[in-house]
C-alpha cells in the first residue's frame, strides 16, 4: 500500500512557516463560515469563546466585533487529548465501538490520575464524545484541576434544553468551563464486532484478519467504520469546531476514544496512512499539544520527569503555573 496523507481540511492545512496574513485571513474566514453555518444555540458554542465569557450562554449571541477583538488577542493555546479511562468492556476485552459503556473503578482512577497530570495546564473549553466513558473521564479529570472551575455540559438538543440550562450570574459563568458533547468524536462504529471478545475473534477469524479490521486505515470491520470513515467525521469536526477555538486562544481539552483520537493525532502530526497503523493510545494518558502561529507542536504527556520539560517549552504555560502557585499560597 502506498503511504499517503489524507487531507480532511485542505483549506486549513497548517504551514510550517510563520502564519502569514493570507493564511490568517483564510482561518478567520473559516471561523466566520463556521459561524454562518451554525444556527441557534450551536452558534453560541462557537462564539462563546470569542466573547471572553467562560460558559456559552445559550441565549446571548455576542457580535462579530467581539469575535475579531479576541482573534487579535491571543496566539498560543494548549490542546490536551485524553483517551477515556478503562471501561467495563475494555476490562472484559470486548469490542466496544459505539456501545455506551461506563468506566471501571480502574478507569475512574485513571481519569483522576490524568486530571492530576494536567492540573497545571489551562483549560477553557472541553469537548467530549457523546459516550459516557469519555464524559466521565473529562469530569473526573477536572475534579483535580487547580483552576477549580466547574465543567458544565451544554445541552442544545432543543429550545427547552437551551433555555432551561441558562446561567444568570456572570461571576458563576466565569467560574465555569463549557463542555461540548459531540457524536462526531465517538469511538468508531465497530459493526458486527461490537460485543465480541477480541481474543475469541482472533481465534475465529485469524490474527491477520482481526489486525486488519482493528488497525488498517481503510478496511472496515463487517458493517462498521474504517479508521478513514471515523477520521472523516472526527477530523472534520475538529477542523470546523475545535480549531477555531484554538485560533482565538482558547485552551481546549478533548476527551474521546482510541480511534477518534488516533485520527485527530494523524491530522495534527501529519501521519501517513501507514504511520497511523502503529499508533496506539493508552487509556487515561493525556497528551499535550501547543498550538502556536498556525502549527501544532506535540509536547508529549505531561507526566513525571517530563513535566518540567513540558513547562519549559512555553513561557505562557510557565506563567500560568506560577499564577496558580501564587493563588494557592
Ligand atoms: O472500541 C473498542 O473496542 C476499543 O475502545 C478500541 O478498540 P481497538 O483497540 O480494537 O481499536
Amino acid at each position: 500500500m502506498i503511504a499517503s496523507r489524507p487531507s480532511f481540511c485542505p483549506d486549513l492545512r497548517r504551514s510550517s512557516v510563520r502564519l502569514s496574513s493570507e493564511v490568517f485571513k483564510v482561518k478567520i474566514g473559516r471561523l466566520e463560515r463556521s459561524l454562518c453555518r451554525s444556527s441557534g444555540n450551536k452558534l453560541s458554542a462557537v462564539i462563546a469563546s470569542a466573547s471572553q465569557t467562560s460558559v456559552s450562554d445559550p441565549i446571548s449571541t455576542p457580535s462579530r466585533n467581539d469575535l475579531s477583538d479576541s482573534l487579535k488577542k491571543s496566539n498560543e493555546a494548549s490542546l490536551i487529548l485524553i483517551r477515556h479511562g478503562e471501561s467495563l468492556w475494555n476490562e472484559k476485552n470486548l469490542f466496544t465501538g459505539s456501545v455506551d459503556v461506563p468506566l471501571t473503578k480502574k478507569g475512574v482512577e485513571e481519569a483522576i490520575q490524568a486530571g492530576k497530570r494536567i492540573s497545571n495546564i489551562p483549560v477553557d473549553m472541553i469537548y467530549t464524545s457523546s459516550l459516557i466513558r469519555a464524559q466521565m473521564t473529562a469530569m473526573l479529570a477536572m475534579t483535580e484541576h487547580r483552576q477549580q472551575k466547574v465543567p458544565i455540559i451544554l445541552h442544545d438538543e432543543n429550545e427547552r434544553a437551551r433555555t432551561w440550562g441558562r446561567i444568570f450570574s456572570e461571576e458563576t459563568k466565569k467560574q465555569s468551563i463549557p463542555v461540548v458533547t459531540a457524536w462526531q468524536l465517538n469511538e468508531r462504529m465497530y459493526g458486527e464486532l461490537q460485543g465480541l471478545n477480541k481474543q475469541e475473534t482472533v481465534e475465529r477469524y485469524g490474527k491477520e484478519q482481526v489486525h486488519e479490521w482493528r488497525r488498517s486505515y481503510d478496511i472496515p470491520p463487517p458493517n462498521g467504520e474504517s479508521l478513514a470513515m471515523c477520521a472523516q467525521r472526527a477530523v472534520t469536526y475538529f477542523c470546523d469546531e475545535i480549531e477555531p477555538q484554538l485560533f482565538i486562544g482558547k485552551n481546549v481539552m478533548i476527551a474521546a476514544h482510541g480511534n477518534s483520537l488516533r485520527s485527530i493525532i494523524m491530522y495534527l502530526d501529519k501521519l501517513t496512512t501507514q504511520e497511523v497503523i502503529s499508533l496506539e493510545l493508552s487509556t487515561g494518558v493525556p497528551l499535550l499539544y501547543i498550538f502556536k502561529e498556525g502549527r501544532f507542536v506535540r509536547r508529549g504527556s505531561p507526566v513525571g520527569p517530563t513535566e518540567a520539560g513540558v513547562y519549559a517549552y512555553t513561557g505562557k504555560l510557565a506563567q500560568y503555573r506560577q499564577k496558580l502557585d501564587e493563588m494557592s499560597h
Side-chain angles (χ1 to χ4, degrees):
M1 187 172 46
I2 299 168
S4 59
R5 281 194 190 101
S7 177
F8 298 101
C9 310
D11 56 333
L12 265 184
R13 294 304 293 177
R14 293 168 304 284
S15 156
S16 57
V17 293
R18 216 166 213 294
L19 183 63
S20 71
S21 60
E22 204 42 47
V23 175
F24 191 60
K25 266 187 240 153
V26 170
K27 289 176 177 181
I28 294 177
R30 171 89 185 240
L31 177 54
E32 288 185 343
R33 278 203 304 287
S34 127
L35 291 172
C36 294
R37 263 204 317 275
S38 307
S39 62
N41 289 299
K42 185 101 188 302
L43 176 66
S44 66
V46 178
I47 30 189
S49 56
S51 71
Q52 300 293 306
T53 58
S54 293
V55 166
S56 74
D57 185 333
I59 304 300
S60 71
T61 48
S63 71
R64 289 285 173 85
N65 287 345
D66 294 336
L67 180 62
S68 21
D69 278 354
S70 39
L71 277 167
K72 286 178 210 140
K73 273 181 196 155
S74 180
N75 63 356
E76 182 184 307
S78 305
L79 170 65
I80 299 164
L81 308 180
I82 308 188
R83 182 183 175 197
H84 62 82
E86 183 196 67
S87 77
L88 283 156
W89 277 17
N90 290 146
E91 187 188 36
K92 291 180 188 299
N93 204 23
L94 304 182
F95 283 101
T96 315
S98 299
V99 182
D100 205 355
V101 178
L103 300 184
T104 58
K105 274 190 190 165
K106 181 179 164 201
V108 168
E109 195 42 48
E110 282 175 339
I112 292 169
Q113 287 308 321
K116 289 190 174 140
R117 288 169 184 182
I118 56 155
S119 62
N120 291 304
I121 298 173
V123 177
D124 301 316
M125 288 207 66
I126 298 173
Y127 289 85
T128 78
S129 74
S130 63
L131 301 173
I132 194 77
R133 57 194 187 273
Q135 295 181 10
M136 285 176 82
T137 302
M139 295 300 177
L140 288 164
M142 290 316 290
T143 61
E144 295 297 322
H145 204 278
R146 289 182 69 196
Q147 211 175 11
Q148 292 184 340
K149 289 191 176 178
V150 178
I152 294 185
I153 296 185
L154 303 181
H155 285 278
D156 70 349
E157 51 270 24
N158 57 41
E159 190 54 38
R160 189 172 67 178
R162 288 188 282 273
T163 309
W164 287 20
R166 283 190 68 187
I167 299 167
F168 292 89
S169 157
E170 287 309 313
E171 190 43 41
T172 304
K173 282 185 199 171
K174 278 190 203 137
Q175 294 310 315
S176 311
I177 301 175
V179 181
V180 179
T181 62
W183 70 267
Q184 292 90 334
L185 299 173
N186 284 7
E187 181 54 287
R188 72 161 151 156
M189 208 277 273
Y190 248 123
E192 289 165 25
L193 300 186
Q194 288 183 176
L196 303 194
N197 182 283
K198 290 182 182 175
Q199 186 50 38
E200 285 166 18
T201 310
V202 166
E203 282 154 22
R204 182 157 168 207
Y205 296 97
K207 207 171 161 186
E208 266 178 39
Q209 173 64 85
V210 174
H211 188 260
E212 193 170 73
W213 284 333
R214 290 182 69 186
R215 288 296 169 265
S216 65
Y217 180 66
D218 46 15
I219 300 170
N223 290 316
E225 282 185 307
S226 63
L227 184 62
M229 290 153 86
C230 173
Q232 190 60 47
R233 58 172 163 87
V235 179
T236 302
Y237 183 83
F238 181 85
C239 295
D240 284 352
E241 306 291 333
I242 301 176
E243 231 176 353
Q245 303 293 346
L246 296 161
F247 285 132
I248 60 173
K250 290 286 169 183
N251 302 293
V252 171
M253 178 171 96
I254 305 176
H257 304 264
N259 293 292
S260 52
L261 289 176
R262 283 172 75 225
S263 64
I264 290 172
I265 290 171
M266 185 179 180
Y267 169 69
L268 300 177
D269 289 352
K270 301 191 176 110
L271 301 182
T272 65
T273 52
Q274 271 304 111
E275 287 166 334
V276 75
I277 290 174
S278 48
L279 176 64
E280 295 285 346
L281 300 183
S282 309
T283 50
V285 176
L287 295 169
L288 175 68
Y289 286 80
I290 300 298
F291 178 73
K292 199 172 181 187
E293 294 168 348
R295 294 173 61 206
F296 288 97
V297 181
R298 190 178 187 157
R299 296 295 183 215
S301 183
V303 56
T306 65
E307 191 174 6
V310 169
Y311 288 104
Y313 281 120
T314 96
K316 211 174 163 185
L317 277 183
Q319 271 170 19
Y320 178 79
R321 185 176 190 168
Q322 199 183 346
K323 223 167 86 188
L324 286 174
D325 287 344
E326 284 164 11
M327 276 161 58
S328 60
H329 286 137

